[in-house]
Amino acid sequence: MSDFQMFHALGQGEQENDRNSPKLPQPAAPQFRPPVAPGPGGYQQSGSSYGASAPNYPQTQYAANPPAAYQDYGLPTPEQGYFPSGQPSPALPSEGTVGGISSQMGGLGLGDGHSTVRSHKKKDRHAYHTLDTPGSSQAFNGLPPGMASTPTQFLDSNSPQPQNAFASTPYMGQQPSPAMSQFPVPANAPFSPANPPSSGMEYGARPYFGGSNPPITPTSSGRPGSQQGRVDPEQIPSIPRSRDGPAQFYLDHLFPTMERHLPPPAAIPFIAHDQGNSSPKFARLTLNSIPSTSDALTSTGLPLGLVLQPLAALQAGEQSIPVLDFGESGPPRCRRCRTYINPFMTFRSGGNKFVCNMCTFPNDVAPDYFSPTDPSGIRVDRSQRPELTLGTVEFMVPKEYWAKGPSPLRWLFLIDVSQEALNKGFLEGFCEGIMGALYGEDEGANDGEENGEEKPKKLPAGSKVGIITYDKDVHFYNLSAGLDQAQMMVMPDIEDPFVPLSEGLFVDPEESRSVITSLLTHLPTLFSQVKNPEPALLPTLNAALSALSATGGKIVCSLSALPTWGPGRLFMRDDGKIHNTESERKLFTTEHPGWKKTGAKMIESGVGVDFFLAVSGGGYLDVATVGHVSAITGGETFYYPNFHAPRDTLKLSQEIKHTVTRETGYQALMKVRCSNGLQVLSYHGNFLQHTFGADLEFGVIDADKAIGVMFSYDGKLDPKLDAHFQSALLYTTASGERRVRCINVVASVSEGGMEGMKHVDQDAVVNMISKEAATRMSERTLKDIRGALTEKTVDILAGYRKNFSGSHPPGQLVLPENLKEFSLYILGLLKSRAFKGGPEPTDRRTYEMRMIKSMGALELSLYLYPRIIAIHNLNELDGFPNENGHLRVPPTIRASFGRIEEGGAYLVDNGQVCLLWMHSQVSPNLIADLFGDSHATLQSLDPFTSALPVLDTHLNAQVRNILQYLSTVRGSKALTIQLARQGIDGAEYEFARMLVEDRNNEAQSYVDWLVHIHRQIQLELAGHRKKEESLDAATSLSTFAGMKPPYW
């Protein structure tokens, strides 16, 4: 290992931020090569009608100027595109569409409001930090000059005005694409306003689904807006712009975890170089420079929290997590606070003592761990010790850390074979998914493919699987390899379930492959004549728990109807009469003693559950009760509210495969420690914590699960020292090893809140606020929570405006540089199904609430604001690798119908579903190139298409490659496409719901939201702002003796 100072990750031509940085040659950044979708057999690009480089064309031909021979095959020119002939190109939105805002907002100044600030006198005091120069408002700390937002008339005059904002990249500085007017007259009834609008502004943000009426130019109160005060939609903060620029930058640059104080946006891929501070993929602090006192933190309005995703997946090119074995003595730890050895512990007395970085207690170094120190106090073997140079490591632990003897993970599949599962095709799809997860999609894979494809699909060595089916009875199967076919044993006594098999229930999936595949293939036929309509789920779970109680393991369970049979039977609780009332929150939790008892027993035994729930037409499943077992054990629920087998089987199969193959641990405990002066206030996520301060307990934990940790002050931090945080996850790996994964995070300490505002992590702040809001759903009404989210947004932005922005005209909205998109993320949260106003089934609310509680920063960022890619006007090189092997990803557009072009086609992906939306007047050529020559109209497409066919057209290859790339940058949900054809498919309503910047989901448009926030900030500055009484009552609640919650 080399010392972290040997690495400098941001390449040549970089802006120097540290005058003391050594000028050493840097290593070449590992190249991230996104997977590319396979091309069709015999794909010859010369026969393509698009005439651009093909996937298997020599890489040197991917330059900006393709050979002339590849330019004469009918590639649509910019003038032609895919718009129907004879149709005028849609016009840009007229300036008048937002003219009325001027009477509400005097001026909108976006940027960092820094005025003259005293220089940081102790800038270079931190041995492992490089702090920015005072007054820097670069959006991305340490990027080369010119890598911030374009200067505009709305920028704060005191903030730096860099030049050439990402102009050299294909992501930024582009001209706005032609778009339909943002305020057309709606033509379709579902999108017409219930009441005639009093002004044209009423139409803002409603999607336009057909019709040829001229656009309406709104005014405010009948007063035309002045040219000077108009809000230019191009200049208000844009999430796509904030993602695309850094995404392009980090294709060719590493992220050094110590040299850069601000992590990249969560929704982009990047390669982190661990220099002692853990990668942002594992841990993100809300503030990377922490105020020294509670009052200073309060002045910012920001929460002090840590988002942990301890088993997060690594990207290709990143160093794997080292596993260290210290033998029977175990890893060195502080004797006082039990912190594990880490890079920030210092050695003294010639190496005989190490000083804890958390509690400053001096500990004796064990003789077998001793190493002398050099004159500067650094161990001479530091570079050979991963635990002293890396922020994330794993320790093998001795038997004293074992609850039971570790063994490879056992998987138990519980398959619903009731009438409903059979009728809707869910049973057949679930069986296919299990076979795909265990053995791969193709049973007859070639030998050449097995080496590359089969390995990641197999379970770790020693893993065993078992299968149980259930309806009114529970059926066990002997899967022993010596049998010709599986033997079924029926357990009709569901009042007192037991395991009738001593051998053969759990088998090696490879040894018993023929028995398992035969059983799964014949299950739908076997139960086609039985058709019991009522499943008995809780007795089945208890029987599965009995089978796994000795070893622990993972249960994967399907369910397609409300379990109304046997002990633990459930009833319809949601009759729709108590929505939007005080009593509604009771529907988001369960008080059923049987289900709660089973969940608690599972955690004691180290067992977790993943549910796959499918209903047709939005039927009721009581997700609050059924999903409670999954949530409390650390599992996950996959919910299909309108399951249709032809469309959803592919998604189901891919998600089962992901569940089985992702990194999974079980029998897990977690503890988070922090520096003196701080203490853990609360945890948020899906786990069990018996008492405040106790360890978090998980039956299972996997790569997609995240936990939020809130901190409070129990003293004052020393600005001369850093603040440290360590997460320790004790778990058993799927291969059967007992380990502790340690994640170490460090932040500087500053006197006031200014440095904190400059080094705030927007994604972490949004994640912590979202997790706490989801936690409160069982305690407060949805109206109170929405009000609290709005108030918190105003508190943060008003605190910045009041305390840190300097002097500005009262009419200007001044936003922190690193929180410019914060208000838009909160608007997306208010519009999510968990919190939105209006009617929403409680199953959907509960499912999304628990999903938010366990989401990592990447998945939540996409969930709150989708990425939208236009595919009708792709550059000929988009979707193929560039000269460096990186996939050229086209820029994303803003989530507003005003950005949708007439005749266009768009991919809309929020990490949960991916829609392919096509305008009613989309070009027949585009349809044929995507789906084949047999399709020339939207009506000819199969409405249940879930994947693109493999064709030898240029556009088809581009879109498949882009979809393959998107599938690697997301959370736990599989990426399959769903058609949303304008005026044809019901998914079009989901498309309209995902346009976050428009007025929908019972909430305002983005412009109106900014107006509202700005008005509240002005009232706060004037001292006239009144908070809701319910919020005052909420904030008076105390979660711990003598301490208040950070907000609510």
Side-chain angles (χ1 to χ4, degrees):
M1 300 297 299
S2 300
D3 188 75
F4 77 93
Q5 291 180 343
M6 295 295 292
F7 294 88
H8 198 260
L10 294 187
Q12 298 179 355
E14 172 178 294
Q15 175 179 339
E16 289 291 341
N17 277 340
D18 185 2
R19 59 179 178 269
N20 296 323
S21 296
K23 307 299 188 291
L24 296 175
Q26 58 178 350
Q31 292 190 355
F32 171 54
R33 297 176 181 267
V36 176
Y43 182 12
Q44 297 295 328
Q45 184 61 29
S46 59
S48 168
S49 61
Y50 282 85
S53 40
N56 53 6
Y57 197 71
Q59 187 166 328
T60 57
Q61 298 298 330
Y62 285 108
N65 299 317
Y70 281 81
Q71 297 179 354
D72 298 323
Y73 292 92
L75 183 69
T77 62
E79 292 77 12
Q80 175 189 350
Y82 282 107
F83 293 107
S85 59
Q87 175 182 325
S89 297
L92 285 167
S94 62
E95 292 185 357
T97 56
V98 290
I101 304 298
S102 60
S103 61
Q104 304 174 53
M105 299 177 68
L108 191 66
L110 301 179
D112 186 15
H114 295 165
S115 60
T116 304
V117 184
R118 67 177 179 87
S119 62
H120 208 297
K121 295 180 180 179
K122 299 176 182 178
K123 172 180 180 295
D124 299 314
R125 66 191 172 208
H126 301 288
Y128 296 93
H129 290 277
T130 300
L131 294 182
D132 280 349
T133 54
S136 170
S137 62
Q138 295 284 343
F140 308 105
N141 179 23
L143 298 188
M147 301 294 273
S149 56
T150 308
T152 73
Q153 59 176 324
F154 301 106
L155 272 177
D156 174 10
S157 59
N158 289 333
S159 63
Q161 306 249 342
Q163 303 173 359
N164 192 21
F166 286 114
S168 61
T169 74
Y171 289 82
M172 303 296 292
Q174 55 201 352
Q175 295 299 318
S177 58
M180 297 177 63
S181 170
Q182 193 175 358
F183 302 97
V185 176
N188 291 358
F191 296 99
S192 299
N195 300 311
S198 57
S199 69
M201 198 63 188
E202 293 285 326
Y203 286 106
R206 278 196 171 79
Y208 173 59
F209 296 96
S212 58
N213 305 63
I216 295 177
T217 301
T219 60
S220 176
S221 305
R223 295 173 296 186
S226 65
Q227 180 69 29
Q228 180 182 1
R230 286 195 179 122
V231 179
D232 185 353
E234 293 296 327
Q235 305 300 341
I236 59 179
S238 164
I239 290 177
R241 188 182 301 134
S242 72
R243 289 173 178 171
D244 289 347
Q248 182 70 13
F249 179 80
Y250 281 107
L251 282 179
D252 301 305
H253 297 82
L254 294 170
F255 172 74
T257 60
M258 289 298 291
E259 296 172 26
R260 298 291 166 248
H261 233 44
L262 200 61
I268 69 168
F270 63 92
I271 294 177
H273 170 48
D274 191 338
Q275 298 176 319
N277 195 23
S278 209
S279 166
K281 294 176 182 178
F282 299 114
R284 299 180 81 107
L285 270 173
T286 56
L287 295 170
N288 292 285
S289 182
I290 300 175
S292 59
T293 64
S294 177
D295 291 341
L297 177 66
T298 303
S299 69
T300 68
L302 292 165
L304 177 56
L306 180 65
V307 180
L308 290 165
Q309 194 170 344
L311 299 182
L314 296 172
Q315 187 171 299
E318 291 186 312
Q319 179 183 355
S320 59
I321 306 301
V323 180
L324 311 175
D325 190 352
F326 285 86
E328 288 301 317
S329 61
R333 302 179 67 179
C334 174
R335 287 193 295 116
R336 177 192 285 176
C337 67
R338 307 301 292 159
T339 298
Y340 290 86
I341 189 75
N342 62 73
F344 306 102
M345 287 187 173
T346 56
F347 290 82
R348 69 185 195 193
S349 301
N352 288 293
K353 289 186 178 293
F354 68 89
V355 179
C356 177
N357 59 315
M358 298 289 179
C359 66
T360 68
F361 181 76
N363 296 266
D364 293 330
V365 175
D368 56 353
Y369 192 63
F370 173 79
S371 172
T373 58
D374 63 15
S376 62
I378 297 176
R379 285 174 60 119
V380 296
D381 67 345
R382 174 185 171 88
S383 60
Q384 284 78 44
R385 291 282 187 182
E387 73 274 15
L388 299 180
T389 55
L390 297 178
T392 306
V393 295
E394 286 199 333
F395 299 111
M396 300 287 291
V397 292
K399 291 184 178 180
E400 63 189 78
Y401 291 80
W402 297 3
K404 57 183 70 174
S407 61
L409 183 60
R410 292 190 170 190
W411 295 85
L412 186 54
F413 296 96
L414 308 185
I415 306 175
D416 178 7
V417 293
S418 63
Q419 179 178 351
E420 191 68 21
L422 190 70
N423 291 346
K424 67 179 63 166
F426 186 56
L427 172 58
E428 184 176 356
F430 195 73
C431 292
E432 290 178 3
I434 296 174
M435 286 191 286
L438 296 180
Y439 307 115
E441 301 297 333
D442 296 320
E443 293 287 330
N446 299 331
D447 290 341
E449 290 182 350
E450 286 182 359
N451 292 334
E453 294 293 329
E454 289 291 337
K455 275 189 177 180
K457 295 173 183 173
K458 294 180 179 178
L459 298 177
S463 298
K464 295 187 176 182
V465 301
I467 295 175
I468 294 176
T469 59
Y470 71 98
D471 44 23
K472 295 170 72 172
D473 303 320
V474 184
H475 322 109
F476 293 80
Y477 295 88
N478 185 342
L479 303 174
S480 297
L483 300 175
D484 293 332
Q485 61 181 15
Q487 297 177 345
M488 181 172 73
M489 300 185 69
V490 181
M491 187 192 68
D493 184 13
I494 59 176
E495 296 291 336
D496 187 17
F498 62 95
V499 182
L501 286 174
S502 58
E503 293 182 359
L505 178 60
F506 291 101
V507 296
D508 185 287
E510 292 300 327
E511 294 178 359
S512 301
R513 178 168 179 164
S514 60
V515 180
I516 293 173
T517 54
S518 175
L519 173 64
L520 293 174
T521 303
H522 291 97
L523 274 181
T525 305
L526 182 64
F527 287 92
S528 60
Q529 304 300 322
V530 181
K531 294 185 177 179
N532 282 322
E534 299 177 292
L537 178 57
L538 186 60
T540 308
L541 290 174
N542 287 327
L545 175 59
S546 299
L548 290 169
S549 59
T551 60
K554 180 78 175 277
I555 297 172
V556 180
C557 178
S558 67
L559 178 67
S560 57
L562 188 67
T564 55
W565 187 263
R569 55 184 174 270
L570 302 177
F571 306 93
M572 168 69 80
R573 291 198 297 157
D574 183 8
D575 56 5
K577 296 180 181 179
I578 61 174
H579 288 186
N580 298 314
T581 66
E582 289 278 345
S583 302
E584 184 180 16
R585 63 176 180 264
K586 296 178 181 178
L587 300 178
F588 304 145
T589 59
T590 182
E591 296 300 328
H592 196 294
W595 290 83
K596 298 178 77 170
K597 182 179 179 182
T598 297
K601 284 185 175 179
M602 284 186 173
I603 291 183
E604 291 178 10
S605 302
V607 176
V609 188
D610 279 358
F611 280 114
F612 288 82
L613 311 179
V615 291
S616 297
Y620 182 69
L621 278 183
D622 198 354
V623 173
T625 300
V626 173
H628 169 80
V629 178
S630 175
I632 199 173
T633 60
E636 184 170 2
T637 298
F638 295 84
Y639 182 51
Y640 308 88
N642 189 23
F643 183 84
H644 187 71
R647 179 192 65 213
D648 297 325
T649 296
L650 177 62
K651 183 177 177 67
L652 172 65
S653 297
Q654 291 183 2
E655 289 177 349
I656 295 173
K657 176 183 173 183
H658 179 72
T659 292
V660 173
T661 56
R662 65 186 171 188
E663 185 173 3
T664 303
Y666 67 108
Q667 297 178 19
L669 296 171
M670 175 181 272
K671 179 79 171 179
V672 177
R673 298 175 174 89
C674 54
S675 293
N676 285 342
L678 296 174
Q679 62 184 358
V680 174
L681 176 63
S682 59
Y683 293 95
H684 301 286
N686 291 333
F687 50 78
L688 176 65
Q689 186 181 24
H690 287 291
T691 59
F692 182 83
D695 294 348
L696 308 186
E697 299 182 38
F698 304 86
V700 293
I701 187 169
D702 57 63
D704 297 311
K705 298 298 176 294
I707 300 97
V709 190
M710 293 289 294
F711 300 96
S712 63
Y713 290 80
D714 64 357
K716 181 180 179 181
L717 296 176
D718 186 351
K720 298 178 182 179
L721 302 175
D722 291 332
H724 298 273
F725 306 86
Q726 185 182 80
S727 159
L729 176 71
L730 174 65
Y731 73 109
T732 304
T733 66
S735 58
E737 293 181 342
R738 194 71 172 161
R739 299 179 184 173
V740 171
R741 175 164 292 196
C742 286
I743 297 171
N744 300 284
V745 183
V746 64
S748 61
V749 178
S750 57
E751 291 282 0
M754 173 66 80
E755 289 295 319
M757 295 300 291
K758 287 172 57 179
H759 297 104
V760 60
D761 184 341
Q762 179 172 257
D763 290 296
V765 172
V766 170
N767 200 287
M768 288 304 308
I769 290 177
S770 301
K771 281 178 165 48
E772 179 141 3
T775 303
R776 300 290 177 180
M777 280 184 64
S778 61
E779 307 168 12
R780 312 291 301 175
T781 65
L782 291 174
K783 182 180 178 181
D784 286 347
I785 292 175
R786 289 193 296 270
L789 288 170
T790 302
E791 294 293 329
K792 189 62 184 173
T793 305
V794 175
D795 286 345
I796 292 173
L797 299 180
Y800 175 78
R801 183 70 171 86
K802 184 191 302 182
N803 301 315
F804 308 110
S805 67
S807 58
H808 292 275
Q812 279 192 337
L813 174 60
V814 184
L815 303 177
E817 182 66 30
N818 295 322
L819 289 175
K820 285 193 297 187
E821 298 82 26
F822 170 72
S823 60
L824 182 49
Y825 278 118
I826 297 298
L827 179 62
L829 185 64
L830 292 171
K831 293 185 175 186
S832 68
R833 281 198 166 92
F835 302 111
K836 67 182 283 288
E840 190 70 28
T842 55
D843 274 358
R844 294 296 293 270
R845 285 199 192 274
T846 307
Y847 162 71
E848 303 217 0
M849 174 263 287
R850 288 183 176 144
M851 187 171 66
I852 289 172
K853 288 171 67 175
S854 66
M855 273 181 172
L858 163 63
E859 190 172 7
L860 183 65
S861 178
L862 292 177
Y863 171 77
L864 297 182
Y865 195 96
R867 48 193 172 193
I868 304 179
I869 296 176
I871 61 174
H872 60 282
N873 56 6
L874 290 175
N875 183 284
E876 61 184 16
L877 299 179
D878 286 340
F880 293 120
N882 62 14
E883 59 275 6
N884 295 323
H886 301 307
L887 194 74
R888 294 178 185 268
V889 182
T892 55
I893 67 170
R894 301 179 74 144
S896 170
F897 201 77
R899 306 303 174 111
I900 302 300
E901 297 181 3
E902 194 168 351
Y906 297 85
L907 291 173
V908 187
D909 174 30
N910 70 347
Q912 310 298 312
V913 296
C914 181
L915 303 179
L916 175 55
W917 185 88
M918 289 182 284
H919 192 273
S920 60
Q921 299 180 31
V922 69
S923 166
N925 293 335
L926 183 144
I927 299 174
D929 290 335
L930 272 182
F931 297 97
D933 293 335
S934 60
H935 303 284
T937 64
L938 290 178
Q939 289 76 10
S940 67
L941 298 177
D942 180 0
F944 306 125
T945 298
S946 59
L948 289 179
V950 179
L951 304 176
D952 60 348
T953 64
H954 189 74
L955 180 66
N956 181 273
Q958 284 180 299
V959 177
R960 284 188 294 108
N961 288 347
I962 292 171
L963 288 172
Q964 185 74 13
Y965 165 78
L966 295 180
S967 69
T968 65
V969 189
R970 62 195 299 106
S972 61
K973 307 304 186 294
L975 187 144
T976 58
I977 64 170
Q978 181 173 349
L979 291 186
R981 299 165 292 176
Q982 188 181 32
I984 299 177
D985 296 312
E988 191 183 8
Y989 291 93
E990 180 69 11
F991 168 71
R993 199 190 70 80
M994 290 163 69
L995 299 177
V996 180
E997 296 193 23
D998 294 342
R999 190 168 76 178
N1000 49 29
N1001 295 296
E1002 308 290 331
Q1004 300 163 298
S1005 68
Y1006 182 29
V1007 172
D1008 291 343
W1009 172 247
L1010 280 180
V1011 170
H1012 173 71
I1013 295 297
H1014 181 48
R1015 188 179 296 140
Q1016 294 298 312
I1017 292 174
Q1018 287 180 310
L1019 291 175
E1020 176 71 20
L1021 295 177
H1024 299 152
R1025 176 172 164 232
K1026 295 181 180 179
K1027 295 187 178 182
E1028 299 179 20
E1029 293 182 4
S1030 60
L1031 294 174
D1032 292 336
T1035 52
S1036 67
L1037 298 174
S1038 177
T1039 58
F1040 189 65
M1043 292 189 302
K1044 293 182 179 180
Y1047 47 91
W1048 309 99

